[in-house]
Amino acid sequence: MTANRHMRAIAVGALLLSALALSGCSTSIADLPLVGTPADAPARPKEAGAYLPVHDLPPDREEAALPPAAQAQIQRELAAARDRQASAAAKNSAAK
């Protein structure tokens, strides 16, 4: 029974050591000549890129995105399309 425990302890120790050894190599494995990046891959930048400015908002517009007349026309067209679809749906449900 003690031999079985001894072998299990050795196996667990070897597993932990190999996990630690491989975790240290994970950052530089892409730099190996046989395993690394393909030949046509772009070169890595010398410095790591900075984070994008998430909280910087663009400046407010000086004029409206749509003039009020165009916005009213679009709303009328959407309402007309909604009414056409509702009448078509009513006709289809009445036909069945």
Side-chain angles (χ1 to χ4, degrees):
M1 187 76 134
T2 59
N4 191 12
R5 283 187 185 177
H6 185 65
M7 288 300 290
R8 185 178 291 172
I10 290 175
V12 169
L15 183 63
L16 287 174
L17 284 175
S18 63
L20 287 173
L22 288 176
S23 68
C25 294
S26 65
T27 57
S28 63
I29 198 164
D31 295 333
L32 293 175
L34 297 177
V35 183
T37 57
D40 59 345
R44 290 185 181 181
K46 300 287 184 198
E47 297 178 9
Y51 290 107
L52 295 176
V54 177
H55 299 291
D56 291 347
L57 298 176
D60 292 334
R61 295 181 181 195
E62 294 179 6
E63 57 187 43
L66 281 177
Q71 187 174 3
Q73 179 184 0
I74 290 171
Q75 287 175 348
R76 284 192 306 271
E77 290 173 359
L78 287 173
R82 180 190 61 213
D83 294 339
R84 283 192 307 269
Q85 288 179 351
S87 65
K91 287 179 186 178
N92 286 340
S93 64
K96 288 183 180 181

